[in-house]
Structures are given as structure tokens and as C-alpha cells.
Amino acid sequence: MQNFTTNAINLKSYNLSETDKIVVMYSKDKGIIKGVAKGAKKSTSKLGGRMDMLIANKLMLHKGRNLDTICQAEAINTFKSIRNDMDKLFYSIYCSDVVHSFGVENDPNSEEIYELFYKTLEAVSKAKDKVSLLLSVLKFQLKITHIAGYSLELETCACCGGKLDKENIYFSAQNGGTVCPECKKHTIKAVKLHYKIRDFLNTLLQLDFDAKTRYDELATEKICGFCFELLSRHVEQFSPKKIKSAQILEMTK
Ligand SMILES: [Zn+2]
């Protein structure tokens, strides 16, 4: 049996016994991993609060026959201000659920997904207002579906591949992006999409997560909220698991 080290962000935990819990994490090297946190439920635990949700740790794990054991955890980032703000907490839980759904064990995309998730939590944690919070979440939604192979189509008709007339663009989650008026007729729940919103989403999709755009100043809470709903439908369409926190966000609006 050997030990291994990796960086990982805590997604969920389950009780294993009176004192121990199993923590489900997304790791930089292996995608989804699970580890037993011995004594984590005791106040004197040497792992302390580092096993709480949405904390990034540098870990050492001991490889077990069935389950690995967390031997050491050193906090890299606790994303502290997420915990002091309901909005930040809800959207972070949503992102965590999406990572849990799209992520797999021995994930070939683990490094990219880990970096994206880390940057998102960091940006959400530092967000000064609702618009900057939502902008980070929109980038997360666009990029994680792109990494998972379900990139949102925004340049041509996702259905027939035809060119789009900018005055007549529709969005269809069912088809994975923009559709033309003809294809819209055979699509359920397609909504009209202003070309400026299409351009906005396309910019967020194309540019690096940290890149500054003119939308940092121009975007409004209303537009970002509308886009969050569209992208949630896109995420839901291709998500291997149901994203339960999406319904909570829907209710809190
Ligand atoms: Zn079409």
C-alpha cells in the first residue's frame, strides 16, 4: 500500500461512523476521489475544519484496499467569504454540484476542471457585487460544458448548421445552442436571443477565465440572470446527474 498526494476541493461528505466521515472531492490529478477522514466529526480532530465543503486542500492519502484514508490536509484556500454570503454560497454549491455531475474518477480532464472550479470559487469569493458573481458563474457554466465535450454552439444553427441572421436568433437547450427560425419550429422551449446577448456569451466562452472584457462594466444583473437561466438549461441538458441546487436557486429568486 502506498501514499499519494494531490490538491483537491471538497464537494460532499457522508457519515461513516460516530467519529469518521467519507469526503468526496474533486482532485487535480485523479478527478473525483473519496477519502475517509478519521475522527473528522470530533472537535479535537487534527483534520479540523479542512474537511468542510468547498475548501481546497493539499492532501496526503493512504491507498487502501477499498477506501483511501486522508492522512494529512493542509488548506490552500478556504474561500472564506463564500460562507458569509447566501448568494455566494448558493452559487458555489451549484458549481460544486455541476463538478460532481460532470466529473468522474480518473478523469482525463481533471487538471482543467480543477483549475476552472478553483478559479470560479476564488472569483465568487472575491466578487464585489451580484454582476461580478454571476459573470464568474456564467464563465464556469460555459467552460465546464466545453471541457466535457458539450460546448454551447453560438455561431451557426446548432440544428441544421446554417448561417444565422442576427435579427432572428433563437436559443434551444435541447439542440445545444442557437437555432435558426426554421429549426425553431421543430424545437420545444426555444427562446428569442438578442444578437448582443449571443455576442456577450460568445466572448465569455472564447476568452480565458481571467481575461477582462468590456462586459465587466456593461453587463447588468438582469442580463446575467437571464443568461444564467439559459446556461443552466444547457448544463442540465447534458448533465449525467440531476443538478438539485439549480431548483433551490430557482426558488430563491
Ligand atoms: Zn437551422
Side-chain angles (χ1 to χ4, degrees):
M1 302 296 167
Q2 82 263 42
N3 291 343
F4 66 95
T5 56
T6 187
N7 292 356
I9 300 171
N10 303 336
L11 303 174
K12 277 181 167 40
S13 68
Y14 305 97
N15 291 338
L16 183 63
S17 68
E18 287 280 300
T19 53
D20 306 345
K21 59 183 184 181
I22 294 177
V23 186
V24 183
M25 299 161 278
Y26 195 86
S27 69
K28 190 172 179 176
D29 304 288
K30 293 169 183 273
I32 298 275
I33 56 170
K34 290 180 185 136
V36 177
K38 284 198 171 142
K41 291 169 71 191
K42 288 194 276 191
S43 57
T44 53
S45 165
K46 67 180 166 76
L47 293 172
R50 278 157 292 186
M51 294 297 111
D52 291 346
M53 268 189 85
L54 303 168
I55 288 180
N57 289 302
K58 186 171 187 226
L59 300 170
M60 190 202 278
L61 293 107
H62 181 71
K63 197 116 195 71
R65 208 171 299 151
N66 300 313
L67 276 170
D68 302 336
T69 304
I70 301 164
C71 313
Q72 280 174 32
E74 188 189 316
I76 304 167
N77 199 332
T78 59
F79 308 107
K80 197 169 162 244
S81 57
I82 283 175
R83 271 159 263 273
N84 304 327
D85 183 310
M86 273 306 220
D87 258 351
K88 288 183 178 181
L89 185 62
F90 275 139
Y91 283 98
S92 300
I93 292 171
Y94 169 79
C95 295
S96 168
D97 280 355
V98 174
V99 168
H100 194 221
S101 177
F102 282 94
V104 290
E105 289 178 24
N106 297 312
D107 201 332
N109 301 315
S110 66
E111 199 168 335
E112 260 186 293
I113 293 181
Y114 176 87
E115 295 294 349
L116 173 64
F117 189 29
Y118 187 96
K119 277 183 186 175
T120 305
L121 292 179
E122 196 175 40
V124 167
S125 173
K126 287 181 182 165
K128 296 266 181 284
D129 51 39
K130 184 83 180 256
V131 172
S132 51
L133 160 63
L134 286 169
L135 276 172
S136 306
V137 179
L138 296 178
K139 289 184 214 172
F140 168 83
Q141 291 174 306
L142 286 162
K143 290 178 193 301
I144 196 158
T145 44
H146 175 75
I147 297 168
Y150 306 109
S151 197
L152 187 68
E153 175 58 54
L154 290 163
E155 286 173 2
T156 57
C157 172
C159 208
C160 69
K163 225 172 154 250
L164 295 169
D165 158 24
K166 74 177 190 176
E167 299 306 329
N168 272 307
I169 304 174
Y170 296 85
F171 177 90
S172 157
Q174 190 192 9
N175 289 294
T178 45
V179 291
C180 70
E182 201 44 48
C183 295
K184 184 233 168 199
K185 290 178 190 162
H186 320 289
T187 310
I188 48 162
K189 289 188 186 168
V191 289
K192 184 111 172 96
L193 195 67
H194 196 285
Y195 75 91
K196 285 186 178 170
I197 294 184
R198 188 273 308 266
D199 294 348
F200 163 56
L201 291 175
N202 211 11
T203 303
L204 298 187
L205 174 63
Q206 302 299 335
L207 291 179
D208 285 347
F209 191 93
D210 302 315
K212 294 258 168 279
T213 73
R214 64 198 185 96
Y215 297 109
D216 295 343
E217 308 297 327
L218 283 177
T220 65
E221 192 176 324
K222 195 173 167 210
I223 288 171
C224 290
F226 172 73
C227 291
F228 175 77
E229 275 177 47
L230 292 187
L231 297 185
S232 297
R233 280 196 243 157
H234 177 66
V235 167
E236 193 79 33
Q237 180 73 25
F238 299 100
S239 173
K241 298 188 190 107
K242 187 133 186 70
I243 312 290
K244 291 192 188 123
S245 51
Q247 291 160 343
I248 301 173
L249 280 167
E250 191 66 29
M251 287 188 308
T252 55
K253 276 207 312 254

